[in-house]
Amino acid sequence: MKKGNSVKLLLAAIALGGSSAAMAAGPYIGLNYTQFQFESDDTDEKLKPDGVTLRAGIEFNDFIGLEARGATGVSSDKRSTALGDAEFDLDRLYGGYVKLSVPVGDMVRPYIVGGYTEAKGEAKFTTGLGSIERESDTVNDESYGAGVDFNLTETFGMNVEYMRYLDKDDYELNGISVGFRSAF
């Protein structure tokens, strides 16, 4: 058997045999701390405001689910550049996503997630001469990411995730998050 075929066979066995994961299918709710990362063509600096993300979803089985999210910024980030100061503040973010999981044993469930996000934020640029340029905008885009759910009990777990929320021509908004979730 070729090496590539044996890897495919192993992944198929994990996917089919992994249905014994501890987290039961059904509705859940979660709360994550998220460090957003805003990158703009206007500055070389990455601005990293903090936020909280509320997640609510339903897993139909061990492999597929739907999730809705709402987030808000709790602090902005400001960086000094050669041209002046740059600051970004996330007002709100929300979206809907499809979540595809692969249970690996009873405790670990890696997943990929994709969907649609709308976000409102404000970028502020202050030049060394004191002039201020503000841009407040509401934008939407396709989103995708990956993460891992760690099941601590049948109804309680943690997760770690990376998400690309917005990818526009002149800026990006990403998020790295860690949090808890509870099934009911």
Side-chain angles (χ1 to χ4, degrees):
M1 184 181 290
K2 291 182 181 179
K3 185 176 181 180
N5 288 338
S6 63
V7 171
K8 290 177 187 174
L9 183 61
L10 177 62
L11 289 174
I14 290 171
L16 294 174
S19 61
S20 63
M23 190 71 76
Y28 63 90
I29 190 164
L31 185 66
N32 285 41
Y33 158 78
T34 306
Q35 183 177 64
F36 292 100
Q37 182 173 303
F38 178 76
E39 296 180 59
S40 172
D41 289 347
D42 295 336
T43 179
D44 293 333
E45 295 291 325
K46 294 177 182 177
L47 300 171
K48 298 178 180 179
D50 296 321
V52 293
T53 304
L54 179 65
R55 305 177 309 131
I58 184 164
E59 291 177 334
F60 301 107
N61 55 41
D62 287 339
F63 307 101
I64 190 165
L66 293 176
E67 187 171 286
R69 297 181 184 188
T72 187
V74 293
S75 69
S76 62
D77 189 23
K78 185 176 184 178
R79 302 288 167 111
S80 295
T81 69
L83 301 174
D85 294 332
E87 184 175 0
F88 179 75
D89 187 24
L90 179 70
D91 293 329
R92 68 176 181 269
L93 175 145
Y94 57 89
Y97 312 93
V98 173
K99 184 176 174 183
L100 303 175
S101 305
V102 177
V104 180
D106 288 342
M107 306 266 310
V108 179
R109 186 186 299 223
Y111 63 87
I112 58 173
V113 61
Y116 182 80
T117 300
E118 181 167 301
K120 181 179 182 198
E122 180 179 81
K124 182 170 88 172
F125 302 98
T126 307
T127 66
L129 301 173
S131 68
I132 298 174
E133 180 183 329
R134 290 179 190 253
E135 285 185 40
S136 181
D137 203 1
T138 302
V139 294
N140 49 57
D141 200 5
E142 298 169 352
S143 307
Y144 57 90
V148 179
D149 284 329
F150 300 96
N151 303 324
L152 303 176
T153 70
E154 253 186 66
T155 59
F156 187 74
M158 295 180 60
N159 86 314
V160 176
E161 179 184 84
Y162 169 81
M163 192 77 173
R164 167 78 44 99
Y165 285 107
L166 303 170
D167 189 1
K168 296 297 189 179
D169 291 336
D170 54 347
Y171 61 87
E172 294 177 358
L173 182 64
N174 306 310
I176 297 173
S177 64
V178 61
F180 298 96
R181 71 178 238 165
S182 180
F184 48 93

